[in-house]
mmCIF file of all heavy atoms in Angstrom:
data_model
loop_
_atom_site.group_PDB
_atom_site.id
_atom_site.type_symbol
_atom_site.label_atom_id
_atom_site.label_comp_id
_atom_site.label_asym_id
_atom_site.label_seq_id
_atom_site.Cartn_x
_atom_site.Cartn_y
_atom_site.Cartn_z
ATOM 1 N N ARG A 1 9.016 10.251 -6.801
ATOM 2 C CA ARG A 1 7.872 9.925 -5.962
ATOM 3 C C ARG A 1 7.497 8.460 -6.209
ATOM 4 O O ARG A 1 7.538 7.981 -7.344
ATOM 5 C CB ARG A 1 6.671 10.830 -6.242
ATOM 6 C CG ARG A 1 6.107 10.734 -7.638
ATOM 7 C CD ARG A 1 4.790 11.476 -7.785
ATOM 8 N NE ARG A 1 4.273 11.372 -9.156
ATOM 9 C CZ ARG A 1 3.066 11.762 -9.532
ATOM 10 N NH1 ARG A 1 2.240 12.301 -8.649
ATOM 11 N NH2 ARG A 1 2.678 11.632 -10.791
ATOM 12 N N GLN A 2 7.168 7.758 -5.148
ATOM 13 C CA GLN A 2 6.782 6.360 -5.267
ATOM 14 C C GLN A 2 5.279 6.277 -5.515
ATOM 15 O O GLN A 2 4.472 6.675 -4.671
ATOM 16 C CB GLN A 2 7.142 5.593 -3.998
ATOM 17 C CG GLN A 2 8.632 5.369 -3.812
ATOM 18 C CD GLN A 2 9.255 4.605 -4.960
ATOM 19 O OE1 GLN A 2 10.227 5.053 -5.551
ATOM 20 N NE2 GLN A 2 8.693 3.458 -5.285
ATOM 21 N N ILE A 3 4.930 5.790 -6.688
ATOM 22 C CA ILE A 3 3.527 5.603 -7.050
ATOM 23 C C ILE A 3 3.121 4.174 -6.703
ATOM 24 O O ILE A 3 3.831 3.219 -7.000
ATOM 25 C CB ILE A 3 3.304 5.853 -8.550
ATOM 26 C CG1 ILE A 3 3.589 7.322 -8.894
ATOM 27 C CG2 ILE A 3 1.886 5.482 -8.963
ATOM 28 C CD1 ILE A 3 2.646 8.304 -8.260
ATOM 29 N N GLY A 4 1.974 4.040 -6.069
ATOM 30 C CA GLY A 4 1.512 2.704 -5.706
ATOM 31 C C GLY A 4 0.011 2.661 -5.519
ATOM 32 O O GLY A 4 -0.700 3.637 -5.757
ATOM 33 N N ILE A 5 -0.457 1.509 -5.063
ATOM 34 C CA ILE A 5 -1.884 1.293 -4.843
ATOM 35 C C ILE A 5 -2.138 1.117 -3.357
ATOM 36 O O ILE A 5 -1.379 0.452 -2.650
ATOM 37 C CB ILE A 5 -2.399 0.088 -5.663
ATOM 38 C CG1 ILE A 5 -3.920 -0.006 -5.578
ATOM 39 C CG2 ILE A 5 -1.712 -1.210 -5.265
ATOM 40 C CD1 ILE A 5 -4.527 -0.930 -6.622
ATOM 41 N N PHE A 6 -3.215 1.750 -2.875
ATOM 42 C CA PHE A 6 -3.567 1.746 -1.461
ATOM 43 C C PHE A 6 -4.845 0.940 -1.220
ATOM 44 O O PHE A 6 -5.753 0.937 -2.056
ATOM 45 C CB PHE A 6 -3.862 3.166 -0.950
ATOM 46 C CG PHE A 6 -2.800 4.188 -1.229
ATOM 47 C CD1 PHE A 6 -2.689 4.783 -2.469
ATOM 48 C CD2 PHE A 6 -1.933 4.586 -0.230
ATOM 49 C CE1 PHE A 6 -1.732 5.752 -2.722
ATOM 50 C CE2 PHE A 6 -0.972 5.553 -0.463
ATOM 51 C CZ PHE A 6 -0.869 6.136 -1.710
ATOM 52 N N ARG A 7 -4.926 0.317 -0.075
ATOM 53 C CA ARG A 7 -6.165 -0.296 0.406
ATOM 54 C C ARG A 7 -6.151 -0.230 1.923
ATOM 55 O O ARG A 7 -5.090 -0.126 2.539
ATOM 56 C CB ARG A 7 -6.288 -1.754 -0.059
ATOM 57 C CG ARG A 7 -5.143 -2.637 0.357
ATOM 58 C CD ARG A 7 -5.243 -4.022 -0.228
ATOM 59 N NE ARG A 7 -6.335 -4.775 0.366
ATOM 60 C CZ ARG A 7 -6.645 -6.018 0.002
ATOM 61 N NH1 ARG A 7 -5.951 -6.626 -0.945
ATOM 62 N NH2 ARG A 7 -7.638 -6.653 0.575
ATOM 63 N N LEU A 8 -7.334 -0.240 2.528
ATOM 64 C CA LEU A 8 -7.406 -0.179 3.978
ATOM 65 C C LEU A 8 -6.978 -1.512 4.578
ATOM 66 O O LEU A 8 -7.365 -2.582 4.103
ATOM 67 C CB LEU A 8 -8.832 0.159 4.430
ATOM 68 C CG LEU A 8 -9.340 1.554 4.053
ATOM 69 C CD1 LEU A 8 -10.779 1.736 4.501
ATOM 70 C CD2 LEU A 8 -8.458 2.638 4.667
ATOM 71 N N LYS A 9 -6.211 -1.449 5.658
ATOM 72 C CA LYS A 9 -5.697 -2.666 6.281
ATOM 73 C C LYS A 9 -6.783 -3.471 6.978
ATOM 74 O O LYS A 9 -6.742 -4.694 7.002
ATOM 75 C CB LYS A 9 -4.604 -2.311 7.294
ATOM 76 C CG LYS A 9 -3.284 -1.906 6.671
ATOM 77 C CD LYS A 9 -2.233 -1.655 7.742
ATOM 78 C CE LYS A 9 -0.879 -1.341 7.126
ATOM 79 N NZ LYS A 9 0.159 -1.089 8.151
ATOM 80 N N ASP A 10 -7.759 -2.781 7.565
ATOM 81 C CA ASP A 10 -8.732 -3.469 8.415
ATOM 82 C C ASP A 10 -10.047 -3.756 7.700
ATOM 83 O O ASP A 10 -11.058 -4.039 8.347
ATOM 84 C CB ASP A 10 -9.014 -2.634 9.670
ATOM 85 C CG ASP A 10 -9.600 -1.261 9.340
ATOM 86 O OD1 ASP A 10 -9.637 -0.906 8.149
ATOM 87 O OD2 ASP A 10 -10.012 -0.564 10.277
ATOM 88 N N ARG A 11 -10.068 -3.672 6.371
ATOM 89 C CA ARG A 11 -11.314 -3.887 5.637
ATOM 90 C C ARG A 11 -11.093 -4.865 4.485
ATOM 91 O O ARG A 11 -10.153 -4.730 3.708
ATOM 92 C CB ARG A 11 -11.855 -2.566 5.095
ATOM 93 C CG ARG A 11 -13.227 -2.689 4.439
ATOM 94 C CD ARG A 11 -13.763 -1.332 4.053
ATOM 95 N NE ARG A 11 -13.849 -0.444 5.215
ATOM 96 C CZ ARG A 11 -14.177 0.842 5.132
ATOM 97 N NH1 ARG A 11 -14.447 1.382 3.956
ATOM 98 N NH2 ARG A 11 -14.232 1.587 6.220
ATOM 99 N N THR A 12 -11.978 -5.857 4.391
ATOM 100 C CA THR A 12 -11.934 -6.807 3.284
ATOM 101 C C THR A 12 -12.578 -6.172 2.065
ATOM 102 O O THR A 12 -13.721 -5.724 2.133
ATOM 103 C CB THR A 12 -12.675 -8.108 3.638
ATOM 104 O OG1 THR A 12 -12.082 -8.690 4.803
ATOM 105 C CG2 THR A 12 -12.604 -9.098 2.481
ATOM 106 N N ILE A 13 -11.850 -6.110 0.974
ATOM 107 C CA ILE A 13 -12.414 -5.524 -0.238
ATOM 108 C C ILE A 13 -13.175 -6.586 -1.023
ATOM 109 O O ILE A 13 -12.997 -7.784 -0.817
ATOM 110 C CB ILE A 13 -11.322 -4.878 -1.115
ATOM 111 C CG1 ILE A 13 -10.271 -5.918 -1.544
ATOM 112 C CG2 ILE A 13 -10.664 -3.725 -0.389
ATOM 113 C CD1 ILE A 13 -9.214 -5.352 -2.481
ATOM 114 N N SER A 14 -14.034 -6.137 -1.917
ATOM 115 C CA SER A 14 -14.858 -7.045 -2.712
ATOM 116 C C SER A 14 -13.984 -7.846 -3.671
ATOM 117 O O SER A 14 -12.854 -7.448 -3.988
ATOM 118 C CB SER A 14 -15.894 -6.256 -3.506
ATOM 119 O OG SER A 14 -15.250 -5.481 -4.510
ATOM 120 N N PRO A 15 -14.489 -8.979 -4.159
ATOM 121 C CA PRO A 15 -13.728 -9.737 -5.165
ATOM 122 C C PRO A 15 -13.405 -8.910 -6.407
ATOM 123 O O PRO A 15 -12.342 -9.067 -7.006
ATOM 124 C CB PRO A 15 -14.661 -10.904 -5.502
ATOM 125 C CG PRO A 15 -15.529 -11.063 -4.301
ATOM 126 C CD PRO A 15 -15.730 -9.677 -3.769
ATOM 127 N N GLN A 16 -14.331 -8.008 -6.771
ATOM 128 C CA GLN A 16 -14.096 -7.166 -7.936
ATOM 129 C C GLN A 16 -12.918 -6.210 -7.688
ATOM 130 O O GLN A 16 -12.058 -6.021 -8.556
ATOM 131 C CB GLN A 16 -15.345 -6.343 -8.262
ATOM 132 C CG GLN A 16 -16.577 -7.174 -8.557
ATOM 133 C CD GLN A 16 -17.336 -7.570 -7.295
ATOM 134 O OE1 GLN A 16 -16.890 -7.328 -6.182
ATOM 135 N NE2 GLN A 16 -18.493 -8.188 -7.479
ATOM 136 N N ALA A 17 -12.917 -5.593 -6.510
ATOM 137 C CA ALA A 17 -11.832 -4.677 -6.169
ATOM 138 C C ALA A 17 -10.506 -5.424 -6.040
ATOM 139 O O ALA A 17 -9.452 -4.922 -6.432
ATOM 140 C CB ALA A 17 -12.163 -3.940 -4.864
ATOM 141 N N GLN A 18 -10.562 -6.629 -5.487
ATOM 142 C CA GLN A 18 -9.348 -7.439 -5.369
ATOM 143 C C GLN A 18 -8.785 -7.766 -6.746
ATOM 144 O O GLN A 18 -7.566 -7.740 -6.959
ATOM 145 C CB GLN A 18 -9.655 -8.736 -4.612
ATOM 146 C CG GLN A 18 -8.426 -9.609 -4.360
ATOM 147 C CD GLN A 18 -7.426 -8.948 -3.438
ATOM 148 O OE1 GLN A 18 -7.755 -8.567 -2.317
ATOM 149 N NE2 GLN A 18 -6.188 -8.798 -3.894
ATOM 150 N N ALA A 19 -9.680 -8.059 -7.694
ATOM 151 C CA ALA A 19 -9.235 -8.359 -9.059
ATOM 152 C C ALA A 19 -8.552 -7.146 -9.677
ATOM 153 O O ALA A 19 -7.516 -7.273 -10.344
ATOM 154 C CB ALA A 19 -10.425 -8.800 -9.911
ATOM 155 N N PHE A 20 -9.126 -5.939 -9.463
ATOM 156 C CA PHE A 20 -8.519 -4.727 -10.011
ATOM 157 C C PHE A 20 -7.174 -4.466 -9.332
ATOM 158 O O PHE A 20 -6.194 -4.085 -9.988
ATOM 159 C CB PHE A 20 -9.451 -3.531 -9.821
ATOM 160 C CG PHE A 20 -9.083 -2.342 -10.655
ATOM 161 C CD1 PHE A 20 -9.656 -2.162 -11.905
ATOM 162 C CD2 PHE A 20 -8.156 -1.419 -10.211
ATOM 163 C CE1 PHE A 20 -9.302 -1.064 -12.697
ATOM 164 C CE2 PHE A 20 -7.803 -0.325 -10.989
ATOM 165 C CZ PHE A 20 -8.371 -0.152 -12.232
ATOM 166 N N HIS A 21 -7.117 -4.662 -8.027
ATOM 167 C CA HIS A 21 -5.887 -4.499 -7.256
ATOM 168 C C HIS A 21 -4.790 -5.399 -7.824
ATOM 169 O O HIS A 21 -3.654 -4.965 -8.064
ATOM 170 C CB HIS A 21 -6.173 -4.834 -5.793
ATOM 171 C CG HIS A 21 -4.977 -4.754 -4.887
ATOM 172 N ND1 HIS A 21 -4.087 -5.808 -4.761
ATOM 173 C CD2 HIS A 21 -4.524 -3.765 -4.069
ATOM 174 C CE1 HIS A 21 -3.135 -5.469 -3.893
ATOM 175 N NE2 HIS A 21 -3.377 -4.240 -3.474
ATOM 176 N N ASP A 22 -5.125 -6.655 -8.054
ATOM 177 C CA ASP A 22 -4.139 -7.622 -8.552
ATOM 178 C C ASP A 22 -3.679 -7.278 -9.964
ATOM 179 O O ASP A 22 -2.500 -7.461 -10.306
ATOM 180 C CB ASP A 22 -4.722 -9.031 -8.514
ATOM 181 C CG ASP A 22 -4.990 -9.505 -7.090
ATOM 182 O OD1 ASP A 22 -4.459 -8.882 -6.150
ATOM 183 O OD2 ASP A 22 -5.737 -10.491 -6.922
ATOM 184 N N LEU A 23 -4.599 -6.778 -10.790
ATOM 185 C CA LEU A 23 -4.226 -6.388 -12.150
ATOM 186 C C LEU A 23 -3.289 -5.182 -12.142
ATOM 187 O O LEU A 23 -2.385 -5.088 -12.978
ATOM 188 C CB LEU A 23 -5.470 -6.079 -12.981
ATOM 189 C CG LEU A 23 -6.208 -7.268 -13.586
ATOM 190 C CD1 LEU A 23 -7.474 -6.807 -14.292
ATOM 191 C CD2 LEU A 23 -5.313 -8.034 -14.560
ATOM 192 N N CYS A 24 -3.500 -4.253 -11.214
ATOM 193 C CA CYS A 24 -2.607 -3.099 -11.099
ATOM 194 C C CYS A 24 -1.181 -3.565 -10.806
ATOM 195 O O CYS A 24 -0.216 -3.068 -11.398
ATOM 196 C CB CYS A 24 -3.084 -2.158 -9.989
ATOM 197 S SG CYS A 24 -4.486 -1.120 -10.436
ATOM 198 N N ILE A 25 -1.063 -4.508 -9.906
ATOM 199 C CA ILE A 25 0.259 -5.029 -9.563
ATOM 200 C C ILE A 25 0.862 -5.779 -10.752
ATOM 201 O O ILE A 25 2.046 -5.648 -11.059
ATOM 202 C CB ILE A 25 0.166 -5.944 -8.330
ATOM 203 C CG1 ILE A 25 -0.261 -5.125 -7.108
ATOM 204 C CG2 ILE A 25 1.479 -6.660 -8.078
ATOM 205 C CD1 ILE A 25 -0.485 -5.937 -5.863
ATOM 206 N N GLU A 26 0.020 -6.532 -11.453
ATOM 207 C CA GLU A 26 0.506 -7.302 -12.599
ATOM 208 C C GLU A 26 0.969 -6.394 -13.739
ATOM 209 O O GLU A 26 2.015 -6.629 -14.354
ATOM 210 C CB GLU A 26 -0.598 -8.224 -13.108
ATOM 211 C CG GLU A 26 -0.216 -9.026 -14.350
ATOM 212 C CD GLU A 26 -1.355 -9.877 -14.878
ATOM 213 O OE1 GLU A 26 -2.385 -10.019 -14.161
ATOM 214 O OE2 GLU A 26 -1.238 -10.384 -16.004
ATOM 215 N N TYR A 27 0.207 -5.317 -14.009
ATOM 216 C CA TYR A 27 0.494 -4.477 -15.169
ATOM 217 C C TYR A 27 1.439 -3.314 -14.861
ATOM 218 O O TYR A 27 2.108 -2.813 -15.765
ATOM 219 C CB TYR A 27 -0.806 -3.906 -15.746
ATOM 220 C CG TYR A 27 -1.511 -4.860 -16.683
ATOM 221 C CD1 TYR A 27 -2.196 -5.958 -16.194
ATOM 222 C CD2 TYR A 27 -1.486 -4.677 -18.057
ATOM 223 C CE1 TYR A 27 -2.845 -6.846 -17.037
ATOM 224 C CE2 TYR A 27 -2.123 -5.551 -18.923
ATOM 225 C CZ TYR A 27 -2.802 -6.637 -18.397
ATOM 226 O OH TYR A 27 -3.436 -7.524 -19.235
ATOM 227 N N LEU A 28 1.471 -2.859 -13.613
ATOM 228 C CA LEU A 28 2.193 -1.619 -13.311
ATOM 229 C C LEU A 28 3.395 -1.798 -12.412
ATOM 230 O O LEU A 28 4.135 -0.841 -12.196
ATOM 231 C CB LEU A 28 1.243 -0.602 -12.656
ATOM 232 C CG LEU A 28 -0.047 -0.296 -13.417
ATOM 233 C CD1 LEU A 28 -0.883 0.700 -12.638
ATOM 234 C CD2 LEU A 28 0.263 0.224 -14.815
ATOM 235 N N ASN A 29 3.593 -2.980 -11.858
ATOM 236 C CA ASN A 29 4.691 -3.175 -10.921
ATOM 237 C C ASN A 29 5.990 -3.399 -11.688
ATOM 238 O O ASN A 29 6.386 -4.527 -11.948
ATOM 239 C CB ASN A 29 4.414 -4.367 -9.999
ATOM 240 C CG ASN A 29 5.415 -4.432 -8.849
ATOM 241 O OD1 ASN A 29 6.339 -3.634 -8.776
ATOM 242 N ND2 ASN A 29 5.208 -5.372 -7.962
ATOM 243 N N TYR A 30 6.645 -2.296 -12.043
ATOM 244 C CA TYR A 30 7.892 -2.374 -12.795
ATOM 245 C C TYR A 30 9.048 -2.612 -11.825
ATOM 246 O O TYR A 30 9.676 -1.697 -11.320
ATOM 247 C CB TYR A 30 8.134 -1.083 -13.587
ATOM 248 C CG TYR A 30 7.131 -0.893 -14.680
ATOM 249 C CD1 TYR A 30 5.949 -0.195 -14.455
ATOM 250 C CD2 TYR A 30 7.352 -1.439 -15.934
ATOM 251 C CE1 TYR A 30 5.016 -0.032 -15.472
ATOM 252 C CE2 TYR A 30 6.420 -1.275 -16.957
ATOM 253 C CZ TYR A 30 5.271 -0.572 -16.712
ATOM 254 O OH TYR A 30 4.347 -0.413 -17.714
ATOM 255 N N GLY A 31 9.297 -3.882 -11.550
ATOM 256 C CA GLY A 31 10.422 -4.211 -10.672
ATOM 257 C C GLY A 31 10.194 -3.789 -9.247
ATOM 258 O O GLY A 31 11.102 -3.317 -8.581
ATOM 259 N N ASN A 32 8.931 -3.929 -8.761
ATOM 260 C CA ASN A 32 8.603 -3.604 -7.371
ATOM 261 C C ASN A 32 8.916 -2.160 -7.034
ATOM 262 O O ASN A 32 9.602 -1.849 -6.055
ATOM 263 C CB ASN A 32 9.335 -4.550 -6.409
ATOM 264 C CG ASN A 32 8.778 -4.446 -4.996
ATOM 265 O OD1 ASN A 32 7.625 -4.082 -4.814
ATOM 266 N ND2 ASN A 32 9.607 -4.753 -4.027
ATOM 267 N N GLY A 33 8.423 -1.251 -7.880
ATOM 268 C CA GLY A 33 8.568 0.171 -7.571
ATOM 269 C C GLY A 33 9.894 0.752 -7.998
ATOM 270 O O GLY A 33 10.342 1.742 -7.439
ATOM 271 N N THR A 34 10.564 0.171 -8.986
ATOM 272 C CA THR A 34 11.810 0.732 -9.473
ATOM 273 C C THR A 34 11.505 1.847 -10.456
ATOM 274 O O THR A 34 10.387 2.315 -10.578
ATOM 275 C CB THR A 34 12.681 -0.359 -10.125
ATOM 276 O OG1 THR A 34 11.929 -0.978 -11.158
ATOM 277 C CG2 THR A 34 13.066 -1.401 -9.098
ATOM 278 N N ASP A 35 12.510 2.244 -11.211
ATOM 279 C CA ASP A 35 12.368 3.438 -12.037
ATOM 280 C C ASP A 35 11.336 3.328 -13.141
ATOM 281 O O ASP A 35 10.929 4.321 -13.700
ATOM 282 C CB ASP A 35 13.720 3.796 -12.677
ATOM 283 C CG ASP A 35 14.684 4.319 -11.636
ATOM 284 O OD1 ASP A 35 14.219 4.691 -10.547
ATOM 285 O OD2 ASP A 35 15.890 4.349 -11.911
ATOM 286 N N GLY A 36 10.945 2.131 -13.500
ATOM 287 C CA GLY A 36 9.919 1.998 -14.528
ATOM 288 C C GLY A 36 10.406 2.381 -15.902
ATOM 289 O O GLY A 36 9.681 2.971 -16.695
ATOM 290 N N ASP A 37 11.654 2.041 -16.222
ATOM 291 C CA ASP A 37 12.207 2.413 -17.523
ATOM 292 C C ASP A 37 11.390 1.838 -18.666
ATOM 293 O O ASP A 37 11.239 2.447 -19.718
ATOM 294 C CB ASP A 37 13.658 1.932 -17.642
ATOM 295 C CG ASP A 37 14.572 2.684 -16.696
ATOM 296 O OD1 ASP A 37 14.225 3.832 -16.349
ATOM 297 O OD2 ASP A 37 15.628 2.140 -16.313
ATOM 298 N N GLU A 38 10.839 0.644 -18.450
ATOM 299 C CA GLU A 38 10.011 0.020 -19.497
ATOM 300 C C GLU A 38 8.820 0.891 -19.832
ATOM 301 O O GLU A 38 8.461 1.060 -20.992
ATOM 302 C CB GLU A 38 9.546 -1.358 -19.035
ATOM 303 C CG GLU A 38 8.656 -2.076 -20.039
ATOM 304 C CD GLU A 38 8.170 -3.405 -19.534
ATOM 305 O OE1 GLU A 38 8.708 -3.902 -18.543
ATOM 306 O OE2 GLU A 38 7.196 -3.946 -20.127
ATOM 307 N N TYR A 39 8.219 1.480 -18.788
ATOM 308 C CA TYR A 39 7.059 2.347 -19.053
ATOM 309 C C TYR A 39 7.501 3.671 -19.659
ATOM 310 O O TYR A 39 6.975 4.117 -20.675
ATOM 311 C CB TYR A 39 6.275 2.602 -17.771
ATOM 312 C CG TYR A 39 5.200 3.623 -18.001
ATOM 313 C CD1 TYR A 39 4.020 3.269 -18.671
ATOM 314 C CD2 TYR A 39 5.366 4.954 -17.641
ATOM 315 C CE1 TYR A 39 3.050 4.210 -18.949
ATOM 316 C CE2 TYR A 39 4.395 5.889 -17.908
ATOM 317 C CZ TYR A 39 3.241 5.511 -18.549
ATOM 318 O OH TYR A 39 2.291 6.441 -18.833
ATOM 319 N N PHE A 40 8.501 4.325 -19.052
ATOM 320 C CA PHE A 40 8.880 5.663 -19.502
ATOM 321 C C PHE A 40 9.489 5.662 -20.895
ATOM 322 O O PHE A 40 9.500 6.677 -21.583
ATOM 323 C CB PHE A 40 9.836 6.310 -18.499
ATOM 324 C CG PHE A 40 9.164 6.727 -17.238
ATOM 325 C CD1 PHE A 40 9.510 6.175 -16.019
ATOM 326 C CD2 PHE A 40 8.141 7.656 -17.247
ATOM 327 C CE1 PHE A 40 8.888 6.545 -14.853
ATOM 328 C CE2 PHE A 40 7.494 8.041 -16.083
ATOM 329 C CZ PHE A 40 7.880 7.484 -14.883
#
């Protein structure tokens, strides 16, 4: 299953939410949705 982060396309999120969104990508994006061997 592909795990990822969702946001609405037509809505601007707050700076706080954007910061959390960016951190999720920074900390959890193991090769752009690959197997995540580093995590597992």
Side-chain angles (χ1 to χ4, degrees):
R1 63 171 180 171
Q2 289 301 126
I3 295 295
I5 188 165
F6 308 80
R7 57 185 290 179
L8 294 177
K9 286 184 176 180
D10 61 352
R11 186 174 302 174
T12 302
I13 60 177
S14 68
Q16 301 85 354
Q18 184 65 56
F20 195 93
H21 178 276
D22 294 344
L23 278 176
C24 283
I25 295 176
E26 177 183 349
Y27 277 75
L28 306 179
N29 191 357
Y30 293 91
N32 193 26
T34 56
D35 289 343
D37 292 334
E38 179 182 346
Y39 173 76
F40 287 117

